[in-house]
DNA sequence: TCACATTTTTAGACTAATCTAAATTATAAT
DNA sequence: ATTATAATTTAGATTAGTCTAAAAATGTGA
C-alpha cells in the first residue's frame, strides 16, 4: 500500500501529465504539492523504484500502468466522495474539495464499491468532472465552452474548468449550477464578454474569463 | 491539530483509563497500539507536553480535559461512521471497525455535524455503543447482561460487550442482532450456559461466555 | 557557441515515529 | 528487608518526509 504522501505525489503527477504531453517535471510537482524541488527529487527517486513511474535525471517523469491505475482510482474515490458530500450531506460544490482530499485516502475497495452503489453509480461529480469506473475508464461527454456559443444559442451547464472557491461561489450567487440553462443574448465584442440569460430569469454579463470556465452542452432552444 | 498517530495514542489511553480507574500505564498502551513500550515512553513524553494528559515517570498517565475532549470526539466520529456504513452502505456489523478507524481521522467539524443529521442523530452505533454528542456527553441506557436473565424472562438485545469479528459473525449466524428478542428457556446449571429462544423462532444453547457478552433490556414478555 | 538564467540535483540537517538492547526503577514474595 | 521479576526508561539507530544552501546540468539569446 502506498502512503498518503505517495498517493499525493502520484495524483499530482497524473494531473500534471494530463495537461503536459505525458510528462511532469520536478518544479511543476513541487508547485502542485507546495513543497521544495529538493524534496520532490528525493521522492521521485524513491517512488520510481516502486515502479509508479519512470524517472530520468533532469528529464522528469511519466507514469507506468501501475501509476495510472493508482491515480485514476484516487480520482474515482475523490469524485465519488464529492458526490456524497453534495448529494447526501448537502454541502455546496465549493465546500467539498478539502474534505474529499482526505476521504480519498481511506483504503477499502469494498467501501468504494458500496458507496458507488449507494450514490446510484454517478458518472459525473458535482463539478461535472467524469468519475472513472473501477477499471479506470472515463465516460466522456460532448461539451463546449460557453465562449463558443453564438448569439441566440442555448446550452445546459455540464461542468466547470476552474474549481477555485471564489469562482464557484460567484456562480452560486448568480444561480449558475450544473443543469442550469444559459442562453446567449448578446456578444459584447470589445471585451469578448457575453450578456446571457440564466434559466430564463436573470440577465447577467459574463466576462470572457467566466465564459471560458463554464462548460455547456448545446441545446436546440 | 493532532496527527493521526497522536490521535490513536489518545484514543488508546482513553479506552484503557475507562476500565482502569482513570490511569493507563506504558505496557497497556503499547499492547493496545501494537508498538514497543520504548516507543510509547517517547510518545508519552511528547504528548504530555501538548497537555493531552499528565505523565509521571514510571507512574503512567491520566487524561486532561483537553485529552478527554479529543478522545470522545474521536469516539463520536468513529461510531457515527459505523452507523453510516451499516445503515446506508449495508455493511454487516462485523465489517465496519477497520474502515471507521480510518474515517474517524478525517478532520472537519462541519462534516460530522452534517453526517449526524443525515443519519438522523443516532444515539447508538451498530454494536449498541452510545454515541457521544458534540459536547462529549453519552446517553446511557439501562441494560444488563443476558447472563442475568432468569428462566422465563425475556429481553431485547441492545448491545454487545465483545466486538471481535468471530463473535459478531457467530451472532449473525444464529440470527442475533440489535433488536432481537431473546427469552431464556432453561438455565443449564453445570456450565452456566442457557437454552434460549431467539425471536420466538429458533432455540439455541448459548455458552456462559456468549451470554456475558450480550447486553439486553428486560421486557415483560 | 558562449555566457547567463533556469531547473534540477546533491549535501547535510531536522522532525516524527518507530525499533532493539541495555540500564534503571518499581513490585511482590519469601 | 532482600532479592527476583516485571515494568519502564534510556541510548542509539532507522525510515519517511521535509528543509536550505550550494553545486551541477540544461536551455536560451545574443
Amino acid at each position: 500500500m502506498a502512503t498518503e504522501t505517495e498517493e499525493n505525489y502520484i495524483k499530482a503527477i497524473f494531473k500534471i501529465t494530463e495537461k503536459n504531453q505525458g510528462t511532469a517535471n520536478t518544479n511543476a510537482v513541487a508547485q502542485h504539492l507546495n513543497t521544495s524541488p529538493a524534496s520532490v527529487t528525493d521522492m521521485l527517486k524513491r517512488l520510481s523504484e516502486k515502479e509508479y513511474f519512470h524517472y530520468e535525471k533532469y528529464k522528469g517523469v511519466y507514469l507506468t500502468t501501475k501509476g495510472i491505475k493508482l491515480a485514476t482510482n484516487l480520482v474515482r474515490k475523490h469524485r465519488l466522495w464529492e458526490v456524497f458530500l453534495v448529494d447526501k450531506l448537502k454541502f455546496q460544490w465549493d465546500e467539498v474539495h478539502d474534505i474529499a482530499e482526505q476521504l480519498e485516502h481511506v483504503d477499502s475497495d469494498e467501501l468504494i464499491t458500496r458507496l458507488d452503489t449507494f450514490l446510484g453509480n454517478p458518472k459525473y461529480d458535482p463539478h461535472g468532472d467524469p468519475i472513472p469506473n473501477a477499471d479506470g475508464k472515463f465516460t466522456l461527454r460532448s461539451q463546449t465552452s460557453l465562449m463558443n456559443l453564438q448569439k441566440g444559442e442555448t446550452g445546459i451547464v455540464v461542468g466547470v474548468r476552474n474549481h477555485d472557491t471564489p469562482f464557484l461561489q460567484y456562480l452560486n450567487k448568480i444561480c449558475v449550477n450544473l443543469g442550469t440553462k444559459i442562453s446567449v443574448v448578446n456578444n459584447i465584442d470589445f471585451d469578448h464578454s457575453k450578456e446571457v440569460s440564466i434559466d430564463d430569469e436573470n440577465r447577467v454579463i459574463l466576462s470572457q474569463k467566466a465564459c471560458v470556465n463554464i462548460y455547456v452542452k448545446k441545446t436546440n432552444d
Side-chain angles (χ1 to χ4, degrees), chain A residues 9 17 22 26 28 45 80 116 135 173 202 211 215:
Chain A
Y9 269 87
T17 54
T26 306
K45 276 193 227 158
L80 282 172
D116 190 27
D135 299 323
K173 204 165 82 189
N202 312 308
C211 291
Y215 294 133

Side-chain angles (χ1 to χ4, degrees), chain A residues 11 14-15 18 67-83 104 109 112-113 115-117 119-126 128-141:
Chain A
K11 216 179 72 166
F14 180 74
K15 298 224 156 155
E18 262 187 329
I68 292 168
K69 201 168 164 187
L70 181 59
T72 48
N73 195 238
L74 284 167
V75 170
R76 172 170 162 78
K77 294 200 281 180
H78 183 100
R79 292 181 181 170
L80 282 172
W81 280 118
E82 285 199 343
V83 173
E104 75 188 10
D109 289 343
I112 296 307
T113 303
L115 182 64
D116 190 27
T117 304
L119 298 172
N121 309 108
K123 296 288 165 278
Y124 300 95
D125 79 7
D129 295 318
I131 299 171
N133 68 13
D135 299 323
K137 297 270 169 276
F138 292 85
T139 303
L140 291 180
R141 175 183 50 203

Side-chain angles (χ1 to χ4, degrees), chain A residues 84-102:
Chain A
F84 169 70
L85 294 171
V86 168
D87 284 11
K88 303 297 182 180
L89 299 196
K90 309 302 175 194
F91 277 98
Q92 303 226 354
W93 64 352
D94 59 288
E95 302 173 314
V96 295
H97 185 269
D98 291 351
I99 299 175
E101 203 77 357
Q102 298 180 64

Side-chain angles (χ1 to χ4, degrees), chain A residues 17 32 69 78 82 88 103 105 175 178 189:
Chain A
T17 54
H32 209 281
K69 201 168 164 187
H78 183 100
E82 285 199 343
K88 303 297 182 180
L103 286 165
H105 298 293
C175 299
L178 293 196
D189 288 341

Side-chain angles (χ1 to χ4, degrees), chain A residues 5-216:
Chain A
T5 310
E6 289 174 346
E7 290 191 341
N8 285 335
Y9 269 87
I10 289 151
K11 216 179 72 166
I13 291 166
F14 180 74
K15 298 224 156 155
I16 293 162
T17 54
E18 262 187 329
K19 320 200 161 172
N20 194 46
Q21 309 104 240
T23 72
N25 57 24
T26 306
N27 263 6
V29 176
Q31 219 174 330
H32 209 281
L33 293 174
N34 235 317
T35 57
S36 72
S39 306
V40 173
T41 299
D42 271 12
M43 205 62 166
L44 294 187
K45 276 193 227 158
R46 288 202 295 108
L47 280 187
S48 65
E49 271 162 32
K50 297 191 180 178
E51 317 260 80
Y52 289 114
F53 45 72
H54 297 284
Y55 167 58
E56 209 182 328
K57 263 192 183 181
Y58 298 102
K59 297 281 175 67
V61 297
Y62 62 94
L63 292 172
T64 61
T65 305
K66 180 180 172 185
I68 292 168
K69 201 168 164 187
L70 181 59
T72 48
N73 195 238
L74 284 167
V75 170
R76 172 170 162 78
K77 294 200 281 180
H78 183 100
R79 292 181 181 170
L80 282 172
W81 280 118
E82 285 199 343
V83 173
F84 169 70
L85 294 171
V86 168
D87 284 11
K88 303 297 182 180
L89 299 196
K90 309 302 175 194
F91 277 98
Q92 303 226 354
W93 64 352
D94 59 288
E95 302 173 314
V96 295
H97 185 269
D98 291 351
I99 299 175
E101 203 77 357
Q102 298 180 64
L103 286 165
E104 75 188 10
H105 298 293
V106 172
D107 176 42
S108 165
D109 289 343
E110 184 68 20
L111 172 64
I112 296 307
T113 303
R114 285 173 184 265
L115 182 64
D116 190 27
T117 304
F118 177 61
L119 298 172
N121 309 108
K123 296 288 165 278
Y124 300 95
D125 79 7
H127 310 101
D129 295 318
I131 299 171
N133 68 13
D135 299 323
K137 297 270 169 276
F138 292 85
T139 303
L140 291 180
R141 175 183 50 203
S142 77
Q143 63 178 34
T144 184
S145 160
L146 177 54
M147 207 55 216
N148 298 324
L149 252 61
Q150 302 306 311
K151 179 172 174 175
E153 289 189 313
T154 298
I156 300 292
V157 176
V158 294
V160 290
R161 198 175 119 91
N162 182 306
H163 289 59
D164 295 344
T165 306
F167 178 58
L168 297 175
Q169 286 179 347
Y170 166 61
L171 294 182
N172 282 345
K173 204 165 82 189
I174 61 174
C175 299
V176 168
N177 217 296
L178 293 196
T180 300
K181 177 178 163 188
I182 299 189
S183 307
V184 177
V185 177
N186 262 307
N187 282 306
I188 299 155
D189 288 341
F190 102 96
D191 65 355
H192 304 288
S193 63
K194 288 173 190 286
E195 185 183 0
V196 301
S197 102
I198 294 170
D199 274 334
D200 299 320
E201 286 175 10
N202 312 308
R203 292 226 171 154
V204 174
I205 304 289
L206 289 178
S207 69
Q208 179 180 25
K209 188 170 177 190
C211 291
V212 165
N213 283 294
I214 297 173
Y215 294 133
V216 295

